Amino acid sequence: MSQQSAQLLEVTAEISALIETLVQTEHRLAELTAGEVDTVANHQGRTLMLRRSQDALRDSETVKLAAILNALPANIAVLDAHGVIVAVNESWRNFAASNGLLCPHDGVGMNYFDVCDVIYAKEAGEAIPVAAGIRSVLSGRSQRFSIEYPCHFPLVQRWFLMTVTPLSEDRANGAVVMHLDVTAERQSVNALETSELRFRQMADHISDVFFLQNLDGTEIYYVSPAYEHIWGRSCESLYANPRSWADALHPDDLQYAITQVSEDGNAEFGHEYRIIRPDGEIRWIHVREFVILDAAGEPYRIAGVCTDITQRKLATDELRTSEARFRSLTGLSSDWYWEQDQEHRFTALNGRENDRSWDKDRFMLIGLRRWKLPGAAPISQSWEQHKAVLDAHKPFRNFEYQRIIGNGMLKHVSANGEPVFDADGSFTGYRGVGTDITERKLASLELRESESRFRSLTELSSDWYWEQDEEYRYVGFSGGESSIKWGSDQRALLGMRRWELTGITPLSDSWDQHRALLDARKPFRNFEYQHVLENGSIRYVSASGEPTFDADGRFSGYRGVATDITERKRAEEALRASELQQRQLAGELDIERSRLVAAQRLAKVGSWETDVATKAIIWSEETYRIFETDLATFRPTHDAFLAIVHPEDRARVNEAFVQSLMAPAAYKIVQHRLMLPDGRIKFVEERWRVRFDEQAHPVKVIGTSQDVTERMRVEEEIRSLNADLERRVEERTAELEAANHELEAFDYSVAHDLRAPLRHIEGFSTMLVEDYGDKLDARGREYLEKLKGAGKRMELLVGDLLALSLVSRSELNRSDVDVSALAQLVFASLHEAEPTREVESVIGPSLRVNADLGLLRIVLENLIGNAWKFTGKQPVARIEFGCLLRDNVPTFFVRDNGAGFDRAYADRLFAPFQRLHAQCEFKGTGIGLATVSRIITRHGGKVWAEGIVDHGATFHFTLPL
């Protein structure tokens, strides 16, 4: 309830108290005068005087009551204990006349409940609760009743606050009914509520967080659902604890925890701060808050909107970083944003600060069309083709044109644009971005000029990942587009060793040296070889690898990365050729040097020379770029070079350089780190060769520097993956060991806790038959035989379970096994057990496999034994064991013509205790096929079954060679 409504209720209470006092005074006077009359009833003169005094007092109080009631702004009626109107004020009479309910009289003497009936007859639903409320007050059950109701005046609707209070608190002797006009207050509240409702309906469908709170932030009236997505907390938690809003603030932004309202109470304010989500993620939030005023112009509530600007912050930081780097290289920015109207005239150009390098004032271009820009000429399309696209309201990409700007420079531009439509679908113009591609165009022209001499340096280097098994055969490749560029499919190389590849020649080491390193299970780095492709072109490769081991520490192969270093090799050749040309063609030095710079930039390999006698050092431009030094100010010396090298690598690099000056040798290769001024670490690979004179004195050192940071990052990721794999293998091994311990405990329980009771059952059953068999009838002896049979079956089941457990835990000892001979032994054992059965057994000849002999015998005993059992009802049984090729994989099978099974239940056959035939038909425990499945799985093979009811079954299994 608002402050104004509360004040109205206070005034109503005061009026009710005043009326009650006046009425009580009138009643008291009546009692006093009435008593006095009874006392002097025999003195008529005295009695007459008292009655006149009583009437005078009553008239006086009535006049006072009427005067007070008429002075009050509310519509007031006084009811007696039965609800009859005994007094009204002038405002009531005017209200009754305007409302048309009590005309033609003012209602005095009329029962108020009749008034309610009249109101109810006019379809005013408030009449029923009003009547009930008045009765509650008159009966003393309630001390107060109030209700707001609308009243339809002839022209406008007005709202009234009706209150009913008793005349006396200690007895039910009537009530005061007041009607107070609260239309203005109601309209103000309705406006606020309508505004809040619209606000909430809008906020529920927007990705930003909208909220509504009191002035000091201690109560939250509303927060939109987006709060849960951005803050990571539920809206209910914020309603329950508004302080949790501040609890999420970053410690450095706690000054935004309390909302401050300006003194004029009509402020709009905003700020940015960080929050910490429950998962630890930090997000940036932009908040704008508004003060809502009530009808009196006083601050009422605070509304606001919170926007997640984290991505914008990250993008801004990244943009600033990239701009700083790019500007240090090129000195100008390249992108800008533009807008055009429906007539294709520029209406906005929003670029970076260096856009002014194009024109003195870019805003001079506003209002011009692109084809009207000074000095503009199309490149990729004609102006007519471009205008046709615009007139069709279609998007365009990479429309290139050139411009001659104010200072006479020629600039190349690439523009992209999208058509813009308003809410009604009407075309309103275009918006897009423009890119300065001048440098790219110039670089392309420079590249084409030097392409004839340095074509071999234009191919981009690429890295790929490879894996080998324990026999050094390739089993996997993962990389970019190198396989396409090399003219072959990498999948065709699977199964081959590196030295078996066609056209491969080692460079850094011989094949014997490389093989010795592999056989020693050692890692290798930068093993270089030459590869002559099918089309006759030559590529150079540098490979690095690490040995891999399984959970038991057994060598399982190699994995590593390979890098196409053709560009680097050819760049080195170009360096040597350049030196020769410099000596032979001194007049063409500048031309060759410019071409060499372009080649090095493409290959990303810098060159350097050191004169041993003078200690003078020359760096190429690419070397300056790799070491991130200024070509104009930095003077390369050996000490200056070592100052850039990481402190932990300086001694090693310096020692390698000094040793290379001692005696002639092949290329020297050293990898080291650079410590850059901003704290970044960069990895560089140095390669150099020392030239000696005829007296074996060092004369000159010629070398290259290559940024290998990315390659080192990939190798570090591989090492990290290997470490993570080893950790996961260790965890898995620990889990398996725990499972084995559980199985051992289970074996012990089966062997001792289950078998002992079974022996007791069988033993006592035998004793009962021997000692008391003659005292039992035939049925009793039959029960004992069934009991003994059940015990024996249970003991067989326990034995099979133990066998299944041992199969899973026993060590796998592979050897060359004659499977045909092993099958012959199984058949012979079955014929010996049942010599009377006629079974045709067929065994494929000369079948051999590499497997565990003991476990493979269990497989054949179960599969052939099942076939023997399920053909027991056939007059002529036939069981075949053989092998055939399926998808080039040797597949063994056991086929019979027995009972078969429903193929719908084939997936249940290899689970323990799963039986598809009744015990009375075919005996068994349901463990045999589960044992077969585990043995085949341990060998790395697969097992499955096919069958038709009454038409036999075939069991297949594979055993990898």
Side-chain angles (χ1 to χ4, degrees), residues 444-477:
S444 177
L445 292 173
E446 184 179 359
L447 179 63
R448 286 196 295 270
E449 290 176 359
S450 61
E451 191 176 30
S452 58
R453 184 181 297 272
F454 300 104
R455 185 181 303 274
S456 63
L457 299 177
T458 59
E459 294 185 29
L460 297 176
S461 62
S462 60
D463 298 339
W464 64 93
Y465 173 77
W466 53 264
E467 291 185 2
Q468 294 174 342
D469 61 12
E470 61 274 16
E471 298 296 331
Y472 315 130
R473 296 182 179 92
Y474 284 117
V475 295
F477 290 96

mmCIF file of all heavy atoms in Angstrom, residues 444-477:
data_model
loop_
_atom_site.group_PDB
_atom_site.id
_atom_site.type_symbol
_atom_site.label_atom_id
_atom_site.label_comp_id
_atom_site.label_asym_id
_atom_site.label_seq_id
_atom_site.Cartn_x
_atom_site.Cartn_y
_atom_site.Cartn_z
ATOM 1 N N SER A 444 52.032 -9.650 -53.978
ATOM 2 C CA SER A 444 51.725 -10.592 -55.053
ATOM 3 C C SER A 444 52.517 -10.258 -56.317
ATOM 4 O O SER A 444 53.040 -11.141 -56.998
ATOM 5 C CB SER A 444 50.217 -10.576 -55.325
ATOM 6 O OG SER A 444 49.891 -11.414 -56.395
ATOM 7 N N LEU A 445 52.603 -8.958 -56.616
ATOM 8 C CA LEU A 445 53.378 -8.552 -57.792
ATOM 9 C C LEU A 445 54.852 -8.900 -57.611
ATOM 10 O O LEU A 445 55.519 -9.404 -58.534
ATOM 11 C CB LEU A 445 53.208 -7.046 -58.026
ATOM 12 C CG LEU A 445 51.805 -6.585 -58.465
ATOM 13 C CD1 LEU A 445 51.749 -5.070 -58.492
ATOM 14 C CD2 LEU A 445 51.440 -7.169 -59.818
ATOM 15 N N GLU A 446 55.376 -8.637 -56.407
ATOM 16 C CA GLU A 446 56.782 -8.951 -56.136
ATOM 17 C C GLU A 446 57.033 -10.447 -56.231
ATOM 18 O O GLU A 446 58.074 -10.893 -56.720
ATOM 19 C CB GLU A 446 57.146 -8.431 -54.748
ATOM 20 C CG GLU A 446 58.618 -8.623 -54.395
ATOM 21 C CD GLU A 446 58.937 -8.067 -53.015
ATOM 22 O OE1 GLU A 446 58.000 -7.528 -52.380
ATOM 23 O OE2 GLU A 446 60.089 -8.188 -52.583
ATOM 24 N N LEU A 447 56.029 -11.228 -55.757
ATOM 25 C CA LEU A 447 56.178 -12.677 -55.813
ATOM 26 C C LEU A 447 56.220 -13.172 -57.242
ATOM 27 O O LEU A 447 57.027 -14.044 -57.599
ATOM 28 C CB LEU A 447 55.031 -13.333 -55.037
ATOM 29 C CG LEU A 447 55.010 -14.854 -55.006
ATOM 30 C CD1 LEU A 447 56.250 -15.371 -54.286
ATOM 31 C CD2 LEU A 447 53.751 -15.353 -54.325
ATOM 32 N N ARG A 448 55.352 -12.640 -58.079
ATOM 33 C CA ARG A 448 55.335 -13.077 -59.474
ATOM 34 C C ARG A 448 56.644 -12.712 -60.196
ATOM 35 O O ARG A 448 57.115 -13.463 -61.056
ATOM 36 C CB ARG A 448 54.134 -12.465 -60.196
ATOM 37 C CG ARG A 448 52.805 -13.111 -59.828
ATOM 38 C CD ARG A 448 51.728 -12.755 -60.840
ATOM 39 N NE ARG A 448 51.437 -11.331 -60.838
ATOM 40 C CZ ARG A 448 50.518 -10.775 -60.071
ATOM 41 N NH1 ARG A 448 49.804 -11.533 -59.239
ATOM 42 N NH2 ARG A 448 50.296 -9.474 -60.107
ATOM 43 N N GLU A 449 57.215 -11.560 -59.843
ATOM 44 C CA GLU A 449 58.465 -11.162 -60.487
ATOM 45 C C GLU A 449 59.604 -12.118 -60.158
ATOM 46 O O GLU A 449 60.469 -12.407 -60.980
ATOM 47 C CB GLU A 449 58.820 -9.737 -60.038
ATOM 48 C CG GLU A 449 57.880 -8.678 -60.598
ATOM 49 C CD GLU A 449 58.214 -7.296 -60.052
ATOM 50 O OE1 GLU A 449 59.153 -7.216 -59.231
ATOM 51 O OE2 GLU A 449 57.542 -6.327 -60.445
ATOM 52 N N SER A 450 59.623 -12.608 -58.882
ATOM 53 C CA SER A 450 60.729 -13.489 -58.482
ATOM 54 C C SER A 450 60.381 -14.965 -58.576
ATOM 55 O O SER A 450 61.194 -15.810 -58.222
ATOM 56 C CB SER A 450 61.120 -13.166 -57.030
ATOM 57 O OG SER A 450 60.025 -13.394 -56.173
ATOM 58 N N GLU A 451 59.165 -15.275 -59.098
ATOM 59 C CA GLU A 451 58.703 -16.655 -59.102
ATOM 60 C C GLU A 451 59.555 -17.539 -60.010
ATOM 61 O O GLU A 451 59.790 -18.714 -59.701
ATOM 62 C CB GLU A 451 57.247 -16.701 -59.548
ATOM 63 C CG GLU A 451 56.596 -18.041 -59.342
ATOM 64 C CD GLU A 451 55.125 -18.013 -59.719
ATOM 65 O OE1 GLU A 451 54.752 -17.228 -60.605
ATOM 66 O OE2 GLU A 451 54.359 -18.774 -59.121
ATOM 67 N N SER A 452 60.048 -16.992 -61.130
ATOM 68 C CA SER A 452 60.807 -17.814 -62.063
ATOM 69 C C SER A 452 62.105 -18.324 -61.443
ATOM 70 O O SER A 452 62.555 -19.419 -61.754
ATOM 71 C CB SER A 452 61.120 -16.999 -63.325
ATOM 72 O OG SER A 452 61.846 -15.826 -62.969
ATOM 73 N N ARG A 453 62.746 -17.531 -60.561
ATOM 74 C CA ARG A 453 64.012 -17.944 -59.977
ATOM 75 C C ARG A 453 63.812 -18.705 -58.668
ATOM 76 O O ARG A 453 64.575 -19.599 -58.334
ATOM 77 C CB ARG A 453 64.910 -16.726 -59.746
ATOM 78 C CG ARG A 453 66.303 -17.073 -59.222
ATOM 79 C CD ARG A 453 67.135 -15.839 -58.999
ATOM 80 N NE ARG A 453 67.370 -15.140 -60.235
ATOM 81 C CZ ARG A 453 68.388 -15.381 -61.063
ATOM 82 N NH1 ARG A 453 69.258 -16.325 -60.750
ATOM 83 N NH2 ARG A 453 68.537 -14.705 -62.171
ATOM 84 N N PHE A 454 62.765 -18.321 -57.907
ATOM 85 C CA PHE A 454 62.585 -18.906 -56.572
ATOM 86 C C PHE A 454 61.261 -19.663 -56.462
ATOM 87 O O PHE A 454 60.564 -19.593 -55.457
ATOM 88 C CB PHE A 454 62.633 -17.808 -55.505
ATOM 89 C CG PHE A 454 63.925 -17.061 -55.483
ATOM 90 C CD1 PHE A 454 64.005 -15.789 -56.023
ATOM 91 C CD2 PHE A 454 65.056 -17.635 -54.947
ATOM 92 C CE1 PHE A 454 65.209 -15.106 -56.001
ATOM 93 C CE2 PHE A 454 66.257 -16.951 -54.929
ATOM 94 C CZ PHE A 454 66.337 -15.679 -55.470
ATOM 95 N N ARG A 455 60.864 -20.378 -57.528
ATOM 96 C CA ARG A 455 59.607 -21.114 -57.512
ATOM 97 C C ARG A 455 59.596 -22.180 -56.417
ATOM 98 O O ARG A 455 58.571 -22.450 -55.799
ATOM 99 C CB ARG A 455 59.391 -21.774 -58.876
ATOM 100 C CG ARG A 455 58.045 -22.474 -59.026
ATOM 101 C CD ARG A 455 57.949 -23.113 -60.399
ATOM 102 N NE ARG A 455 58.136 -22.150 -61.465
ATOM 103 C CZ ARG A 455 57.160 -21.415 -61.970
ATOM 104 N NH1 ARG A 455 55.938 -21.548 -61.508
ATOM 105 N NH2 ARG A 455 57.392 -20.550 -62.945
ATOM 106 N N SER A 456 60.749 -22.794 -56.163
ATOM 107 C CA SER A 456 60.807 -23.864 -55.170
ATOM 108 C C SER A 456 60.576 -23.361 -53.751
ATOM 109 O O SER A 456 60.375 -24.147 -52.840
ATOM 110 C CB SER A 456 62.166 -24.576 -55.246
ATOM 111 O OG SER A 456 63.203 -23.672 -54.932
ATOM 112 N N LEU A 457 60.699 -22.012 -53.549
ATOM 113 C CA LEU A 457 60.535 -21.460 -52.199
ATOM 114 C C LEU A 457 59.122 -20.993 -51.916
ATOM 115 O O LEU A 457 58.845 -20.477 -50.840
ATOM 116 C CB LEU A 457 61.505 -20.282 -52.001
ATOM 117 C CG LEU A 457 62.984 -20.617 -52.131
ATOM 118 C CD1 LEU A 457 63.809 -19.352 -51.987
ATOM 119 C CD2 LEU A 457 63.400 -21.631 -51.092
ATOM 120 N N THR A 458 58.201 -21.121 -52.886
ATOM 121 C CA THR A 458 56.857 -20.585 -52.691
ATOM 122 C C THR A 458 55.902 -21.574 -52.042
ATOM 123 O O THR A 458 54.807 -21.208 -51.665
ATOM 124 C CB THR A 458 56.260 -20.147 -54.045
ATOM 125 O OG1 THR A 458 56.226 -21.280 -54.916
ATOM 126 C CG2 THR A 458 57.097 -19.053 -54.676
ATOM 127 N N GLU A 459 56.264 -22.853 -51.967
ATOM 128 C CA GLU A 459 55.372 -23.832 -51.341
ATOM 129 C C GLU A 459 55.392 -23.663 -49.828
ATOM 130 O O GLU A 459 56.441 -23.450 -49.223
ATOM 131 C CB GLU A 459 55.803 -25.254 -51.706
ATOM 132 C CG GLU A 459 55.648 -25.550 -53.181
ATOM 133 C CD GLU A 459 55.966 -27.010 -53.481
ATOM 134 O OE1 GLU A 459 55.762 -27.841 -52.589
ATOM 135 O OE2 GLU A 459 56.408 -27.290 -54.582
ATOM 136 N N LEU A 460 54.249 -23.712 -49.227
ATOM 137 C CA LEU A 460 54.145 -23.545 -47.774
ATOM 138 C C LEU A 460 54.559 -24.825 -47.075
ATOM 139 O O LEU A 460 54.220 -25.926 -47.494
ATOM 140 C CB LEU A 460 52.700 -23.196 -47.388
ATOM 141 C CG LEU A 460 52.174 -21.878 -47.951
ATOM 142 C CD1 LEU A 460 50.717 -21.718 -47.577
ATOM 143 C CD2 LEU A 460 52.982 -20.715 -47.427
ATOM 144 N N SER A 461 55.341 -24.683 -46.011
ATOM 145 C CA SER A 461 55.707 -25.856 -45.222
ATOM 146 C C SER A 461 54.509 -26.347 -44.435
ATOM 147 O O SER A 461 53.588 -25.596 -44.154
ATOM 148 C CB SER A 461 56.846 -25.506 -44.254
ATOM 149 O OG SER A 461 56.419 -24.515 -43.360
ATOM 150 N N SER A 462 54.484 -27.632 -44.107
ATOM 151 C CA SER A 462 53.356 -28.204 -43.363
ATOM 152 C C SER A 462 53.847 -29.323 -42.458
ATOM 153 O O SER A 462 54.818 -30.003 -42.769
ATOM 154 C CB SER A 462 52.287 -28.740 -44.319
ATOM 155 O OG SER A 462 52.833 -29.733 -45.144
ATOM 156 N N ASP A 463 53.215 -29.496 -41.353
ATOM 157 C CA ASP A 463 53.554 -30.542 -40.392
ATOM 158 C C ASP A 463 52.453 -31.591 -40.366
ATOM 159 O O ASP A 463 51.289 -31.276 -40.618
ATOM 160 C CB ASP A 463 53.710 -29.958 -38.974
ATOM 161 C CG ASP A 463 54.849 -28.950 -38.910
ATOM 162 O OD1 ASP A 463 55.711 -29.016 -39.790
ATOM 163 O OD2 ASP A 463 54.849 -28.126 -37.985
ATOM 164 N N TRP A 464 52.826 -32.830 -40.057
ATOM 165 C CA TRP A 464 51.841 -33.873 -39.877
ATOM 166 C C TRP A 464 52.293 -34.832 -38.781
ATOM 167 O O TRP A 464 53.473 -34.922 -38.455
ATOM 168 C CB TRP A 464 51.525 -34.600 -41.187
ATOM 169 C CG TRP A 464 52.676 -35.357 -41.791
ATOM 170 C CD1 TRP A 464 52.998 -36.660 -41.616
ATOM 171 C CD2 TRP A 464 53.661 -34.835 -42.702
ATOM 172 N NE1 TRP A 464 54.103 -36.991 -42.339
ATOM 173 C CE2 TRP A 464 54.543 -35.894 -43.016
ATOM 174 C CE3 TRP A 464 53.862 -33.580 -43.270
ATOM 175 C CZ2 TRP A 464 55.605 -35.737 -43.874
ATOM 176 C CZ3 TRP A 464 54.922 -33.419 -44.117
ATOM 177 C CH2 TRP A 464 55.796 -34.482 -44.429
ATOM 178 N N TYR A 465 51.314 -35.535 -38.230
ATOM 179 C CA TYR A 465 51.541 -36.455 -37.121
ATOM 180 C C TYR A 465 51.522 -37.876 -37.653
ATOM 181 O O TYR A 465 50.736 -38.206 -38.543
ATOM 182 C CB TYR A 465 50.426 -36.254 -36.095
ATOM 183 C CG TYR A 465 50.425 -37.248 -34.952
ATOM 184 C CD1 TYR A 465 51.322 -37.138 -33.905
ATOM 185 C CD2 TYR A 465 49.496 -38.292 -34.913
ATOM 186 C CE1 TYR A 465 51.301 -38.029 -32.849
ATOM 187 C CE2 TYR A 465 49.475 -39.194 -33.864
ATOM 188 C CZ TYR A 465 50.379 -39.061 -32.834
ATOM 189 O OH TYR A 465 50.363 -39.956 -31.794
ATOM 190 N N TRP A 466 52.419 -38.757 -37.152
ATOM 191 C CA TRP A 466 52.479 -40.141 -37.620
ATOM 192 C C TRP A 466 52.653 -41.093 -36.448
ATOM 193 O O TRP A 466 53.107 -40.706 -35.371
ATOM 194 C CB TRP A 466 53.616 -40.331 -38.624
ATOM 195 C CG TRP A 466 54.967 -39.861 -38.127
ATOM 196 C CD1 TRP A 466 55.543 -38.666 -38.356
ATOM 197 C CD2 TRP A 466 55.880 -40.601 -37.289
ATOM 198 N NE1 TRP A 466 56.770 -38.583 -37.731
ATOM 199 C CE2 TRP A 466 57.000 -39.764 -37.060
ATOM 200 C CE3 TRP A 466 55.861 -41.868 -36.718
ATOM 201 C CZ2 TRP A 466 58.088 -40.163 -36.296
ATOM 202 C CZ3 TRP A 466 56.948 -42.280 -35.945
ATOM 203 C CH2 TRP A 466 58.042 -41.430 -35.736
ATOM 204 N N GLU A 467 52.258 -42.359 -36.672
ATOM 205 C CA GLU A 467 52.411 -43.406 -35.680
ATOM 206 C C GLU A 467 52.944 -44.667 -36.364
ATOM 207 O O GLU A 467 52.580 -44.958 -37.512
ATOM 208 C CB GLU A 467 51.068 -43.721 -34.998
ATOM 209 C CG GLU A 467 50.547 -42.630 -34.106
ATOM 210 C CD GLU A 467 49.283 -43.038 -33.361
ATOM 211 O OE1 GLU A 467 48.863 -44.199 -33.532
ATOM 212 O OE2 GLU A 467 48.716 -42.205 -32.635
ATOM 213 N N GLN A 468 53.789 -45.428 -35.617
ATOM 214 C CA GLN A 468 54.336 -46.686 -36.125
ATOM 215 C C GLN A 468 54.144 -47.770 -35.060
ATOM 216 O O GLN A 468 54.092 -47.478 -33.862
ATOM 217 C CB GLN A 468 55.837 -46.542 -36.428
ATOM 218 C CG GLN A 468 56.156 -45.581 -37.565
ATOM 219 C CD GLN A 468 57.653 -45.368 -37.734
ATOM 220 O OE1 GLN A 468 58.422 -45.652 -36.827
ATOM 221 N NE2 GLN A 468 58.058 -44.863 -38.890
ATOM 222 N N ASP A 469 54.027 -49.019 -35.513
ATOM 223 C CA ASP A 469 53.900 -50.129 -34.571
ATOM 224 C C ASP A 469 55.287 -50.612 -34.154
ATOM 225 O O ASP A 469 56.309 -49.987 -34.476
ATOM 226 C CB ASP A 469 53.052 -51.255 -35.172
ATOM 227 C CG ASP A 469 53.675 -51.831 -36.433
ATOM 228 O OD1 ASP A 469 54.861 -51.536 -36.714
ATOM 229 O OD2 ASP A 469 52.984 -52.586 -37.154
ATOM 230 N N GLU A 470 55.315 -51.745 -33.443
ATOM 231 C CA GLU A 470 56.594 -52.233 -32.923
ATOM 232 C C GLU A 470 57.536 -52.705 -34.037
ATOM 233 O O GLU A 470 58.740 -52.896 -33.809
ATOM 234 C CB GLU A 470 56.376 -53.379 -31.922
ATOM 235 C CG GLU A 470 55.691 -54.621 -32.496
ATOM 236 C CD GLU A 470 54.174 -54.521 -32.457
ATOM 237 O OE1 GLU A 470 53.675 -53.387 -32.272
ATOM 238 O OE2 GLU A 470 53.506 -55.554 -32.615
ATOM 239 N N GLU A 471 56.996 -52.937 -35.249
ATOM 240 C CA GLU A 471 57.837 -53.314 -36.397
ATOM 241 C C GLU A 471 58.185 -52.106 -37.255
ATOM 242 O O GLU A 471 58.657 -52.261 -38.385
ATOM 243 C CB GLU A 471 57.107 -54.366 -37.245
ATOM 244 C CG GLU A 471 56.809 -55.667 -36.507
ATOM 245 C CD GLU A 471 58.089 -56.402 -36.105
ATOM 246 O OE1 GLU A 471 59.100 -56.244 -36.814
ATOM 247 O OE2 GLU A 471 58.054 -57.135 -35.093
ATOM 248 N N TYR A 472 57.925 -50.903 -36.749
ATOM 249 C CA TYR A 472 58.232 -49.631 -37.424
ATOM 250 C C TYR A 472 57.382 -49.428 -38.672
ATOM 251 O O TYR A 472 57.756 -48.650 -39.560
ATOM 252 C CB TYR A 472 59.715 -49.520 -37.779
ATOM 253 C CG TYR A 472 60.654 -49.936 -36.675
ATOM 254 C CD1 TYR A 472 61.685 -50.839 -36.914
ATOM 255 C CD2 TYR A 472 60.495 -49.444 -35.375
ATOM 256 C CE1 TYR A 472 62.537 -51.236 -35.890
ATOM 257 C CE2 TYR A 472 61.351 -49.837 -34.349
ATOM 258 C CZ TYR A 472 62.359 -50.741 -34.607
ATOM 259 O OH TYR A 472 63.192 -51.128 -33.611
ATOM 260 N N ARG A 473 56.208 -50.086 -38.740
ATOM 261 C CA ARG A 473 55.312 -49.880 -39.880
ATOM 262 C C ARG A 473 54.358 -48.735 -39.547
ATOM 263 O O ARG A 473 53.873 -48.625 -38.423
ATOM 264 C CB ARG A 473 54.501 -51.146 -40.183
ATOM 265 C CG ARG A 473 55.340 -52.338 -40.611
ATOM 266 C CD ARG A 473 54.438 -53.517 -40.939
ATOM 267 N NE ARG A 473 55.189 -54.687 -41.388
ATOM 268 C CZ ARG A 473 55.625 -55.649 -40.592
ATOM 269 N NH1 ARG A 473 55.351 -55.577 -39.293
ATOM 270 N NH2 ARG A 473 56.319 -56.659 -41.069
ATOM 271 N N TYR A 474 54.051 -47.905 -40.542
ATOM 272 C CA TYR A 474 53.114 -46.811 -40.351
ATOM 273 C C TYR A 474 51.705 -47.375 -40.082
ATOM 274 O O TYR A 474 51.217 -48.232 -40.829
ATOM 275 C CB TYR A 474 53.049 -45.906 -41.582
ATOM 276 C CG TYR A 474 54.235 -44.984 -41.714
ATOM 277 C CD1 TYR A 474 55.101 -45.077 -42.809
ATOM 278 C CD2 TYR A 474 54.500 -44.009 -40.759
ATOM 279 C CE1 TYR A 474 56.194 -44.240 -42.942
ATOM 280 C CE2 TYR A 474 55.589 -43.162 -40.877
ATOM 281 C CZ TYR A 474 56.437 -43.284 -41.957
ATOM 282 O OH TYR A 474 57.509 -42.451 -42.074
ATOM 283 N N VAL A 475 51.085 -46.898 -39.017
ATOM 284 C CA VAL A 475 49.715 -47.319 -38.704
ATOM 285 C C VAL A 475 48.757 -46.145 -38.658
ATOM 286 O O VAL A 475 47.550 -46.332 -38.504
ATOM 287 C CB VAL A 475 49.663 -48.058 -37.351
ATOM 288 C CG1 VAL A 475 50.433 -49.352 -37.418
ATOM 289 C CG2 VAL A 475 50.192 -47.173 -36.205
ATOM 290 N N GLY A 476 49.238 -44.916 -38.758
ATOM 291 C CA GLY A 476 48.337 -43.778 -38.727
ATOM 292 C C GLY A 476 49.029 -42.493 -39.122
ATOM 293 O O GLY A 476 50.221 -42.294 -38.873
ATOM 294 N N PHE A 477 48.262 -41.611 -39.810
ATOM 295 C CA PHE A 477 48.723 -40.278 -40.170
ATOM 296 C C PHE A 477 47.649 -39.280 -39.769
ATOM 297 O O PHE A 477 46.458 -39.582 -39.817
ATOM 298 C CB PHE A 477 48.963 -40.144 -41.688
ATOM 299 C CG PHE A 477 50.153 -40.914 -42.180
ATOM 300 C CD1 PHE A 477 50.008 -42.186 -42.714
ATOM 301 C CD2 PHE A 477 51.419 -40.366 -42.103
ATOM 302 C CE1 PHE A 477 51.087 -42.896 -43.179
ATOM 303 C CE2 PHE A 477 52.510 -41.083 -42.577
ATOM 304 C CZ PHE A 477 52.357 -42.339 -43.111
#
